[in-house]
Amino acid sequence: MINSRNINGLLNCWGILFLLAAFGAALMGYKEFIPDYMLFMHFLIGVLYFMGLKISLHIHSRKGLYSLVFIYTLFISVVLRYLFWTHTGDPFGDTEGCDSYKYEAFVLQFRDMDFPAFVRNSLRLSVGNIDDMGYTSIVYFIYQLFSDMDATRNLLLVINAVAITVSAIYIYKLCIVLGIRNRVAMFASALYGFFPFFCASSAVGLKENLFCVLIVCSIYYMYRYKSSRSFGSLLLALFFIAATYFFRFAICIMLCLTFVTCMVSSSRNRSPILLLAVIAGMIFLASLEYIMYQLAGISMSHIYLVADSRMERSGGSGIVGWIVHGSAAFFGPFPNFNRLGQYGFYYSSGLLLKCLFGIFAFVGSLSVLKRFEYRYYPIVLFLFMGIFMLLGSGTSLDIRYHITSFSAFVILAAYCLDTIDLRKYVFYIYVIVSCAVVVMYNLR
């Protein structure tokens, strides 16, 4: 049976599969040209992620673990940034469609304006899209300190490393609050903190690292307020939830619903609240057209058209497209070993591990519902709302849309590892099926 005592074996299995996939792709040939420095970083990031997770199983000092997370994140992001400059002459690796160029363009265009004018003009150019104003504003304020974009970029690398370290700390705290044992909580913190996507996101100048720390802190302070009824915890929970509005509006709504669920869930109503949740979900789906039009000014037909377009570009349309995206929403996204996928090639090791650990998050979610573990209801709700958003928007193959609910994924996987004896044959059947899907995805 698989539990917390043999996580080490799971990591060995993942490490072997990563090496097989990497060397297999090299032998069969890549689908596009991949420079040598990218191949080197692809392998280095995977090896360091493996080492970080292994260390987390034996290290006893949480401060030591968090120091490693900070050093790892900063080191990888700085090396990537250096290689970008050296090989492309661009700070973000000349990454096509990268939002970081837009953030900097707004700051440079309106740098001489005061902040309210900067916001008004940025919103005008982005057609009222508030989702990027949080990170764009951070870039603006840092630029005002230095009046130099290179210095701004460099400081943001450090800030991103701090953000991921703080997220890892609060993942550990959430696990402890939820009753997960210390050793598994340490592993969950490392699984999150060393996740390679965060390093790549920092290097290409994206908002996800700072966005995710707001999400993790929001959820933690919900639980703190529920247990202590401290006014300070309430203020912090509301502050962090409100801050996510300026990063992605839909996540702010999801966190509000998670907060309500956290407040109303208790041992007395742990069974009927699930029935109420199902009814509320049905009402929500029936009213979705009206809700989306009132809140965002767009129709569901427009959302479906956008989702179909995204699916056709990434995983195919029709029934095949829905199968690919449906499985990716629950257990993906799938790693690229023979394509760049923008900058996804760098963190393919992390995506492979996420695919393998999907069974634990899924079984953990089912166990929460089966056992009426009301303390985990908000976590399950947040994860499933994230999955619903992935399916509805056709973005289940993009880790940037998975990463916002990755904290819930990690906590539920940790819960499964800590409390459920998953039979080995179930895990290995799942591994075989997952590997087959990854192989087919890479051969497409």
Side-chain angles (χ1 to χ4, degrees), residues 132-296:
D132 287 327
M133 283 311 304
Y135 194 74
T136 306
S137 298
I138 291 170
V139 177
Y140 168 84
F141 283 119
I142 296 175
Y143 181 84
Q144 295 301 314
L145 292 175
F146 299 104
S147 298
D148 181 83
M149 192 52 74
D150 286 334
T152 300
R153 296 188 193 110
N154 293 337
L155 181 57
L156 280 168
L157 290 179
V158 178
I159 292 173
N160 273 272
V162 171
I164 293 308
T165 306
V166 172
S167 294
I169 292 170
Y170 278 93
I171 288 290
Y172 172 84
K173 289 184 173 183
L174 265 170
C175 287
I176 296 301
V177 165
L178 290 166
I180 295 171
R181 284 178 294 172
N182 180 70
R183 177 51 60 194
V184 180
M186 291 271 284
F187 175 73
S189 179
L191 185 67
Y192 190 96
F194 290 117
F195 194 60
F197 167 77
F198 292 124
C199 304
S201 176
S202 174
V204 298
L206 296 175
K207 68 182 181 180
E208 271 63 34
N209 294 1
L210 293 177
F211 187 18
C212 285
V213 74
L214 298 176
I215 294 169
V216 175
C217 289
S218 296
I219 297 173
Y220 174 74
Y221 283 107
M222 292 177 197
Y223 279 96
R224 276 291 303 272
Y225 176 65
K226 182 180 178 67
S227 62
S228 67
R229 297 296 174 176
S230 162
F231 184 66
S233 296
L234 175 62
L235 281 181
L236 286 170
L238 294 177
F239 169 77
F240 287 121
I241 292 172
T244 63
Y245 175 81
F246 301 101
F247 284 76
R248 194 172 299 157
F249 168 73
I251 301 300
C252 182
I253 299 299
M254 288 166 55
L255 285 170
C256 289
L257 295 174
T258 303
F259 195 10
V260 172
T261 304
C262 185
M263 291 299 101
V264 301
S265 301
S266 69
S267 58
R268 294 189 302 273
N269 64 9
R270 61 182 186 170
S271 178
I273 199 171
L274 288 182
L275 177 61
L276 289 175
V278 172
I279 295 172
M282 294 173 64
I283 294 172
F284 176 77
L285 290 175
S287 309
L288 195 56
E289 177 79 34
Y290 175 79
I291 293 171
M292 291 304 300
Y293 187 78
Q294 292 298 319
L295 292 178

Side-chain angles (χ1 to χ4, degrees), residues 364-413:
S365 301
L366 294 181
S367 179
V368 166
L369 301 179
K370 182 180 179 180
R371 297 177 178 181
F372 301 110
E373 291 274 12
Y374 69 92
R375 292 178 303 169
Y376 288 86
Y377 287 175
I379 306 296
V380 172
L381 175 65
F382 190 69
L383 178 62
F384 276 69
M385 284 191 295
I387 291 171
F388 175 79
M389 292 294 295
L390 291 169
L391 291 171
S393 60
T395 55
S396 59
L397 290 170
D398 190 340
I399 185 61
R400 289 188 69 189
Y401 295 90
H402 278 266
I403 203 67
T404 51
S405 56
F406 185 53
S407 54
F409 176 94
V410 168
I411 290 169
L412 289 168

